[in-house]
Amino acid sequence: MFIKQRFNSRMLALLATGALTCSGQAFAQDTQAYPDHAIHMLVPYTAGGAADVLARALSAELAKRWKQPVIVDNRPGADGAIAVDYLVKSDPDGYTMLYGPNAIYSIFPHIHKKAKTNARKDLIPVAMVGLSPLVLAVPAASPIHDIPQLIAYAKAHPGKLNFGTPGSSSLHRMAGEQFDMNAGVKMVQVPYKGTSQAAVDLAGGQLGLLYAVPQSVTALVKAGKARILAVTTAHRFPLMKDIPSVGETLKGWPEYATFQGVFVAKGTPPAVTKKIQDTVKEIMKEQSFKDKLAMLDFSADFLDSQKFKAKLEQDYAAVGNIVTKVGITAQ
């Protein structure tokens, strides 16, 4: 009886090993075949914005190389949570991915602590594609012409200078609060439901300062209604070399910029993740793709999965410091 039991146990173990081996071989073959059908690229914002435009440009290039459709799927809302949640609930096989900015990873988890899913916990950063700074803009009639003058004015008029942002939990708000902290000043945030109305108020003089993406104020600057003081990066931005950076004046400035890239759900096979990463890297060598990024004021800054995650974690830490000290909560 004992010998029979040992024999049966051994046979079961061998059968299990064989099954696992076959399963492993099938899994490897599936991974090598990736992709063999259509892919969905989620975008956590509405059509027409920078993330959407760049996601469509990247998707077209991926489709060209993989010979499979890459369908852009806009799922806006809840600070990116709707798209992230959809991805987390999809099969982790690389056939559903997300193109989005650092805000979904570095801001959302701090602001929405009770959310069931979030990008930092549930997604894998695959590849960074581009980076664009925010800018500090003032009305054309403002007496402030550079960052030292801004600091001096704010110190002389505590609480009198306001700054506009597209929302109280936006990257723009974080940059504004960080500036106040590093410069030792106090300005008042004025949140808007987007940047369009804020830009109108800036031109009209109702706002003393606006944190915005470059494209939001380009028309005002060209029309002589606004002036850019600086970019919110630690060093000068390659596409705007004539404009100083905040980091040139405020030493130890933790760079505030929007950087975008590709994410997949946790559990996606490493081989699939690497194939996506390597294909994105190839695409970013193309001058035509770099030109598309530049048209939206994004520099082509590829980072592989490991380095992209490290940059996101650095951003997460900087945002966490501001959220905690200022007491920023979801609106």
Side-chain angles (χ1 to χ4, degrees):
M1 177 67 71
F2 176 72
I3 293 172
K4 186 176 180 180
Q5 286 177 338
R6 285 190 62 187
F7 176 78
N8 288 340
S9 297
R10 182 169 176 77
M11 285 299 293
L12 286 170
L14 288 170
L15 286 169
T17 303
L20 287 172
T21 302
C22 292
S23 176
Q25 289 173 345
F27 176 80
Q29 289 172 352
D30 288 345
T31 300
Q32 290 173 359
Y34 175 87
D36 63 5
H37 60 271
I39 297 145
H40 283 258
M41 178 78 80
L42 305 174
V43 179
Y45 303 108
T46 54
D52 174 71
V53 173
L54 293 179
R56 291 177 188 279
L58 180 64
S59 296
E61 292 295 332
L62 289 171
K64 188 188 303 181
R65 285 162 173 77
W66 288 342
K67 311 299 183 187
Q68 296 293 341
V70 181
I71 303 159
V72 174
D73 187 354
N74 296 88
R75 292 183 178 265
D79 291 338
I82 291 174
V84 171
D85 192 58
Y86 185 89
L87 177 55
V88 171
K89 292 176 180 176
S90 302
D91 290 334
D93 53 12
Y95 285 94
T96 304
M97 58 182 80
L98 182 149
Y99 182 90
N102 48 317
I104 64 170
Y105 187 105
S106 57
I107 297 179
F108 183 91
H110 286 299
I111 303 295
H112 303 276
K113 295 182 183 296
K114 295 182 179 180
K116 291 182 180 179
T117 60
N118 70 62
R120 183 170 183 259
K121 176 172 64 76
D122 299 307
L123 303 188
I124 299 171
V126 177
M128 185 172 118
V129 174
L131 179 147
S132 181
L134 301 178
V135 296
L136 282 72
V138 295
S142 172
I144 301 167
H145 290 79
D146 55 34
I147 295 300
Q149 285 185 2
L150 173 61
I151 295 171
Y153 187 92
K155 285 183 175 180
H157 305 84
K160 299 296 183 183
L161 190 61
N162 55 22
F163 68 91
T165 72
S168 289
S169 58
S170 63
L171 181 70
H172 311 61
R173 164 82 183 280
M174 306 302 164
E177 299 289 358
Q178 186 78 57
F179 185 94
D180 283 11
M181 188 180 298
N182 283 34
V185 301
K186 181 57 183 174
M187 294 185 275
V188 179
Q189 186 222 185
V190 180
Y192 289 80
K193 293 181 179 180
T195 308
S196 299
Q197 185 56 49
V200 171
D201 286 354
L202 181 77
Q206 287 83 24
L207 270 180
L209 181 71
L210 175 64
Y211 285 85
V213 295
Q215 280 206 323
S216 296
V217 296
T218 299
L220 294 180
V221 172
K222 288 181 178 178
K225 295 181 179 180
R227 188 168 58 249
I228 295 176
L229 301 183
V231 293
T232 57
T233 43
H235 306 285
R236 295 206 178 198
F237 184 55
L239 301 179
M240 304 170 72
K241 291 181 179 179
D242 294 337
I243 299 176
S245 70
V246 173
E248 290 176 39
T249 300
L250 297 179
K251 303 306 176 186
W253 172 258
E255 179 171 274
Y256 277 90
T258 178
F259 50 96
Q260 302 180 350
V262 179
F263 299 81
V264 294
K266 273 195 174 176
T268 300
V272 170
T273 300
K274 189 174 188 307
K275 184 164 187 177
I276 299 169
Q277 170 197 279
D278 292 348
T279 309
V280 171
K281 185 177 182 180
E282 286 178 18
I283 291 168
M284 292 188 62
K285 292 177 182 177
E286 299 289 338
Q287 187 59 47
S288 59
F289 189 74
K290 292 179 182 179
D291 292 341
K292 288 174 183 175
L293 287 165
M295 286 176 64
L296 293 169
D297 298 309
F298 276 81
S299 59
D301 290 309
F302 171 82
L303 289 180
D304 63 22
S305 182
Q306 186 175 357
K307 291 179 180 177
F308 186 24
K309 182 175 181 179
K311 187 172 180 64
L312 286 163
E313 285 294 322
Q314 185 179 34
D315 199 49
Y316 175 82
V319 168
N321 183 48
I322 291 298
V323 169
T324 300
K325 290 186 176 180
V326 178
I328 300 172
T329 58
Q331 299 299 305

